[in-house]
Amino acid sequence: MTLYSFFKEFHSGFRYIVIVLVLLALVRAFMGWLGKRPYGEGNRKLNLFAMISVHTQFLLGIILFFISPMVQFSKDTMKNPVTRYFTVEHWVIMLIAIVLITIGHSKSKKAALPEGKHKAIAIFYLIGIVLISVGIMLIPQ
């Protein structure tokens, strides 16, 4: 197993952990926001772990960016959909998603009322998971 294949498999498999944690955080946030439930320590920890998992996935992606044969910097990079995707599109989409999830987490920490905390997570994590899903679905086959 090469270093590239190890990180590719790790990055590919870890995405399921990310998706599960973000979806769990989303479901609890919507239940809390719409059900006017209190924001407890369990909510805070789940939201934090979801954000940490997204950041960890991004770090794995950065490693892959530097060792992947799919990332190329040549005059033909933008003409080839596979190299364009891995060199430009994928990491830009994911970075935007991570920034939004991080903003949502930060806003939830600053909100005074439980409803505001749940609402920040629900909105920003939802946009983030939609972008992550789009970024995954766009992977060239």
Side-chain angles (χ1 to χ4, degrees):
M1 177 176 269
T2 65
L3 185 65
Y4 167 69
S5 63
F6 170 78
F7 276 105
K8 181 181 172 196
E9 295 300 321
F10 191 21
H11 185 67
S12 181
F14 195 72
R15 73 176 153 188
Y16 297 108
I17 293 169
V18 170
I19 291 169
V20 166
L21 286 172
V22 173
L23 286 176
L24 282 173
L26 255 176
V27 167
R28 290 198 53 184
F30 273 107
M31 286 172 42
W33 179 24
L34 302 175
K36 306 231 187 277
R37 295 186 178 159
Y39 186 89
E41 189 65 14
N43 296 99
R44 187 190 70 77
K45 286 182 180 176
L46 177 59
N47 299 337
L48 178 64
F49 289 145
M51 185 186 70
I52 289 171
S53 73
V54 170
H55 285 215
T56 303
Q57 181 73 334
F58 189 66
L59 290 174
L60 292 171
I62 289 171
I63 293 168
L64 267 175
F65 185 81
F66 288 106
I67 64 174
S68 174
M70 301 293 197
V71 175
Q72 299 172 6
F73 297 97
S74 69
K75 62 181 178 162
D76 296 327
T77 298
M78 298 307 277
K79 295 175 187 169
N80 182 330
V82 174
T83 58
R84 182 183 62 236
Y85 175 79
F86 287 108
T87 305
V88 180
E89 296 168 0
H90 184 69
W91 73 266
V92 170
I93 293 169
M94 297 306 175
L95 180 62
I96 293 168
I98 292 163
V99 167
L100 289 170
I101 287 171
T102 304
I103 290 170
H105 187 264
S106 178
K107 284 187 172 289
S108 78
K109 285 177 20 179
K110 293 177 183 175
L113 300 174
E115 182 181 343
K117 293 177 182 290
H118 290 303
K119 182 179 177 181
I121 295 295
I123 291 170
F124 284 91
Y125 279 38
L126 177 63
I127 298 168
I129 196 72
V130 167
L131 285 173
I132 289 169
S133 300
V134 167
I136 291 170
M137 288 188 288
L138 288 175
I139 295 173
Q141 299 301 327

